[in-house]
Amino acid sequence: MQSPLPVRDGVNATRLRLPDEGPWDTAMDYMMHRWGHIDPQGIEDRFDAGEIVGEGGIPLDRSTPLQDHTFIWYYRTLPPETRLPVELSVLHQDEHLLVVDKPHFLPTTPGGTYIQESALVRLRNQLDLPDLIPMHRLDRMTAGVLLFSTNPQTRGKYQVLFEKRQVQKEYECVAAAEPAPGHPAVEFPVVVRNRMTKSRSYLLAEVIDGEPNAETRIEQLETFDDGGPEGAAGTGGSGTGRRRLARYRLEPHTGKTHQLRVHMASLGLGIVNDAFYPDLLDKAPDDYAKPLQLLARGIRFVDPISGRPVEYRSALDLSEAVRTRP
């Protein structure tokens, strides 16, 4: 359902569904029941100013009966946010699409403590594109290629591509060159298939028994240590006593939450600086010097408007791979 209120400061108006019945005579009574303990005066002021609207953008007042509207819209009061010390870069922009390189630590969309400090809100404000909508998402800790629709009239054509899995994605990561103790050796390339679900105990994904619903092809591209990179076949120890790492290409054929991180960890090859997999670490402030070593390197598809194959590639690099190169 389209909001009757425009985007403001890069953020959509909040939609609230009113109950069909209850012990509340007016819409304001219900809002007081939900949030009156936080800011009762602010709620009254919004109703008095006509800032809370129903279907068709009709302003509500203190006496508007509960039953007059099913949905109402209003603007949230945005808390102050400290700007994250990371920047977006534009890879491509036309009348239909915006393609950017999203940095590590920046969420794709508003949520939790990150509202203004999300890729969507930053771009809406910076580029004056209030109709901007993401075509897919990257985890906050994952960097790389991210697509947005700039045109509501053609948005559906691109959404169908994602829904029908007609978009090919390529990721890169840095992880250990050899599996952790207790895991068998891996012959690359390897395809990991299993069944994943959201954990009920924490905001994690986990592997369970059942028909596979997640699939990733994994290829080891190169191994390296402080002496620099070498061919992927050379996975032996260097004699330096330092951790030996490898760069991997990941091609997901499905899009489950944290799929790539879970699949790498399942091989005993947990991605460098992953605070969730294989072990959940204590929550700590972001360390911008140690980003998750996972990058959405590229995305390709047949453009539904032009009919031509297109590919967009990230200009970013994984810091661990860059740091170890001569």
Side-chain angles (χ1 to χ4, degrees):
M1 181 179 294
Q2 186 172 357
S3 171
L5 294 176
V7 170
R8 187 170 77 178
D9 296 327
V11 182
N12 294 86
T14 297
R15 186 182 72 176
L16 173 67
R17 183 186 180 96
L18 298 178
D20 296 329
E21 57 184 16
W24 312 284
D25 294 327
T26 67
M28 192 179 81
D29 290 341
Y30 179 69
M31 289 196 72
M32 284 293 191
H33 165 74
R34 291 285 301 271
W35 296 291
H37 62 289
I38 299 175
D39 184 19
Q41 186 61 54
I43 293 174
E44 292 179 349
D45 291 344
R46 290 187 182 196
F47 275 97
D48 292 343
E51 294 180 353
I52 299 176
V53 304
E55 291 89 340
I58 300 172
L60 280 63
D61 60 32
R62 297 191 187 204
S63 62
T64 301
L66 182 72
Q67 295 79 13
D68 276 14
H69 297 275
T70 302
F71 293 100
I72 61 175
W73 287 263
Y74 60 95
Y75 294 112
R76 288 174 289 176
T77 300
L78 301 179
E81 294 180 57
T82 300
R83 185 174 176 85
L84 298 177
V86 295
E87 299 298 332
L88 288 148
S89 59
V90 175
L91 300 173
H92 171 83
Q93 184 176 357
D94 60 33
E95 60 181 316
H96 306 290
L97 284 180
L98 174 70
V99 187
V100 303
D101 251 343
K102 186 189 82 67
H104 296 283
F105 302 104
L106 187 70
T108 298
T109 55
T113 59
Y114 302 99
I115 306 298
Q116 295 288 336
E117 286 305 288
S118 63
L120 176 61
V121 175
R122 274 199 189 184
L123 291 166
R124 280 177 171 176
N125 289 331
Q126 291 173 9
L127 302 178
D128 192 22
L129 294 172
D131 290 326
L132 201 66
I133 292 293
M135 291 288 90
H136 61 116
R137 284 173 170 76
L138 295 178
D139 290 342
R140 187 171 80 88
M141 293 303 183
T142 302
V145 178
L146 184 60
L147 267 65
F148 293 82
S149 164
T150 60
N151 188 340
Q153 303 304 316
T154 59
R155 183 167 299 154
K157 295 181 182 295
Y158 292 95
Q159 289 173 328
V160 167
L161 296 181
F162 287 90
E163 292 168 0
K164 293 186 175 181
R165 297 182 182 175
Q166 294 175 348
V167 176
Q168 288 75 51
K169 300 176 184 177
E170 176 189 340
Y171 289 74
E172 288 181 13
C173 75
V174 172
E178 297 285 352
H183 291 267
V186 181
E187 183 175 346
F188 296 101
V190 64
V191 176
V192 179
R193 298 185 185 91
N194 52 33
R195 186 166 190 84
M196 291 178 54
T197 186
K198 284 282 192 72
S199 171
R200 295 183 178 181
S201 59
Y202 197 76
L203 296 178
L204 296 177
E206 59 184 357
V207 176
I208 60 173
D209 293 333
E211 183 72 18
N213 63 358
E215 178 178 322
T216 306
R217 182 183 184 276
I218 302 171
E219 177 182 357
Q220 191 178 83
L221 300 176
E222 62 181 358
T223 64
F224 51 86
D225 54 22
D226 287 350
E230 61 184 40
T235 57
S238 63
T240 64
R242 295 182 180 275
R243 179 176 55 171
R244 191 154 182 78
L245 301 175
R247 185 169 60 92
Y248 297 86
R249 176 187 291 124
L250 312 174
E251 296 176 337
H253 296 163
T254 52
K256 297 297 181 182
T257 300
H258 293 178
Q259 175 178 316
L260 302 179
R261 298 162 72 173
V262 170
H263 281 180
M264 288 296 293
S266 73
L267 298 176
L269 300 169
I271 297 174
V272 172
N273 298 333
D274 193 339
F276 283 7
Y277 310 97
D279 300 309
L280 178 62
L281 304 182
D282 292 336
K283 184 174 176 58
D286 289 339
D287 185 344
Y288 298 104
K290 295 181 177 180
L292 175 71
Q293 294 297 285
L294 179 60
L295 172 69
R297 172 59 71 192
I299 191 167
R300 62 186 185 275
F301 52 90
V302 175
D303 189 281
I305 305 300
S306 69
R308 296 193 299 267
V310 295
E311 182 174 11
Y312 302 104
R313 306 283 293 179
S314 174
L316 301 174
D317 283 306
L318 293 168
S319 57
E320 283 294 330
V322 172
R323 184 178 62 81
T324 56
R325 290 174 179 160

